[in-house]
Amino acid sequence: MASPAAVAAGLRAIDSIARQLAAAGADKAKAVQLDEQIEPAWKQIEDTVKTNDMNSYLAFENAATVLENAATNGDKAAATNGSTAVTAAVQSYLAKYPG
């Protein structure tokens, strides 16, 4: 299990990556490169998030799928939706577990 501080830092990093991915727009190469950074960061904190808050865990998993598909397809609207979902999940989780 990751420490609360590590989870908070990891979630903020994922949120930042998701925002950058949304900003990449139709630049598929950049979006895919950014998307590939999410999973390694998520793996370090995933079990802790899942144990602490299943709703946040599911929200992150769903948002990650949206972001991955958006990156692959160069879909800026979907990337924006995925990024917005990540931000909401980060805010919700950190409100309960501030780290």
Side-chain angles (χ1 to χ4, degrees), residues 15-86:
D15 190 29
S16 175
I17 294 165
R19 288 171 191 248
Q20 292 173 58
L21 196 157
D27 184 344
K28 288 179 16 174
K30 184 173 182 179
V32 167
Q33 184 268 332
L34 288 162
D35 182 62
E36 290 172 349
Q37 296 176 34
I38 293 174
E39 187 63 25
W42 178 236
K43 282 194 175 286
Q44 295 176 24
I45 61 174
E46 178 178 13
D47 290 340
T48 303
V49 172
K50 186 175 184 180
T51 298
N52 289 344
D53 187 344
M54 182 60 76
N55 288 333
S56 290
Y57 169 80
L58 293 173
F60 282 112
E61 287 290 322
N62 289 336
T65 299
V66 170
L67 288 169
E68 181 179 7
N69 290 335
T72 301
N73 297 319
D75 186 339
K76 181 170 176 54
T80 299
N81 289 340
S83 176
T84 299
V86 167

